[in-house]
Amino acid sequence: MRGRVILVAGAAGGLGRALAEELHRRGVRLGLMDLPGPALDDLTAALPGARAAPADITDAGALAAAYDTLGAALGPPDGALNAAGVLKTGPGLEMSPGTLRQTFEVNVTGAFAFSQAVARRMIDAKRQGAILHLSSVSSMVANPGYAAYSPSKAALSQMVRVLGREWAAEGLRVNAIGPSLVRTQMTRDALAAPEQRTAALALIPTGRFCEPEDLVGPAVMLLSDAGRYITGQTLHVDGGRTLV
Ligand SMILES: NC(=O)c1ccc[n+]([C@@H]2O[C@H](COP(=O)([O-])OP(=O)(O)OC[C@H]3O[C@@H](n4cnc5c(N)ncnc54)[C@H](O)[C@@H]3O)[C@@H](O)[C@H]2O)c1
């Protein structure tokens, strides 16, 4: 991985940051993208040599400007990690169609725009490598309250299959990791309520929640040559959650 250029979207989030820090330790040259704010500034300051370009992945103009900034600083990418995402939950009878639209806008359309822009730059520069998304066990399991998030992650995992097939001939692999619950900003409220925490834990055969560190080995494998024959897959890193 040393010396490779990897763009990370959602870099300032719980999982994005943990994975970016690990890639940095392995000598990866990082281009960091997230919504503008102190979390992105703080991460950039903590990772010497990393470059940052704030961008909303649902905004095509902002995305293009961010790629130009990062491309000028780092050169063309060798790969990408998309850890941007949103989770909005609520009973299906009360959820507004707008909640679905906003969720799909980030988790699916944004993921597509990010992948497409990276792939174009990699193909133009004749770079071979991997694009990795963060899907979720929710792409498979049907948790109540997840009528927006679950279908967005199912769509993302299926998009990974299509793009993996389309771009294989160009030497690009496209995969996803599907974690079960990890404590981050996104899940803080859900995990704060003891009864919800106990119910969630009861559905994980290995008997503990996922930690960001559990994702490191699978992410490095899928982003590196260790995973060179793997494409179009969602690898669930979930302590067996999808077996239940
Ligand atoms: N935490 C979990 O339990 C869990 C489990 C399975 C999957 N995931 C997925 O992993 C990914 C990371 O989740 P997390 O737990 O780190 O959440 P998080 O909320 O800590 O981080 C998400 C990041 O995405 C960024 N983001 C949101 N909308 C954006 C946009 N429009 N443009 C650019 N950036 C945007 C946020 O600013 C934030 O930094 C998400 O796709 C999430 O669905 C998380």
Side-chain angles (χ1 to χ4, degrees), residues 205-216:
T206 49
R208 69 164 175 86
F209 289 115
C210 184
E211 302 287 342
E213 295 71 33
D214 294 321
L215 306 181
V216 168

Side-chain angles (χ1 to χ4, degrees), residues 17 20-21 24-25 30 32 38-50:
R17 179 168 182 141
E21 287 172 343
H24 186 261
R25 267 193 285 280
L30 290 169
L32 305 172
L40 182 60
D41 298 342
D42 180 62
L43 176 64
T44 312
L47 302 180

Side-chain angles (χ1 to χ4, degrees), residues 63-77:
L63 256 188
Y67 291 118
D68 289 347
T69 304
L70 296 175
L74 300 167

Side-chain angles (χ1 to χ4, degrees), residues 76-77 116-128 166-167 169-172:
Q116 185 190 55
V118 169
R120 282 185 177 151
R121 282 163 177 78
M122 289 177 73
I123 292 166
D124 285 351
K126 300 198 179 343
R127 296 281 167 104
Q128 303 203 332
E166 279 194 24
W167 297 342
E170 311 284 355
L172 299 192

Side-chain angles (χ1 to χ4, degrees), residues 13-15 34 55-57 83-85 135 149 153 179 181-182 184 186-187:
L15 302 185
D34 206 308
D56 182 331
I57 61 167
S135 181
Y149 184 78
K153 292 299 184 178
L181 265 179
V182 197
T184 65
M186 180 176 277
T187 55

Side-chain angles (χ1 to χ4, degrees), residues 9-17 33-35 39 55-58 82-87 106-107 134-138 149 153 156 177-187 191:
L15 302 185
R17 179 168 182 141
M33 297 163 74
D34 206 308
L35 299 172
D56 182 331
I57 61 167
T58 67
N82 170 30
V86 291
L87 168 67
V106 178
N107 293 1
L134 286 184
S135 181
S136 168
V137 294
S138 288
Y149 184 78
K153 292 299 184 178
L156 175 61
I177 285 178
S180 53
L181 265 179
V182 197
R183 187 190 303 273
T184 65
Q185 188 70 22
M186 180 176 277
T187 55
L191 286 171

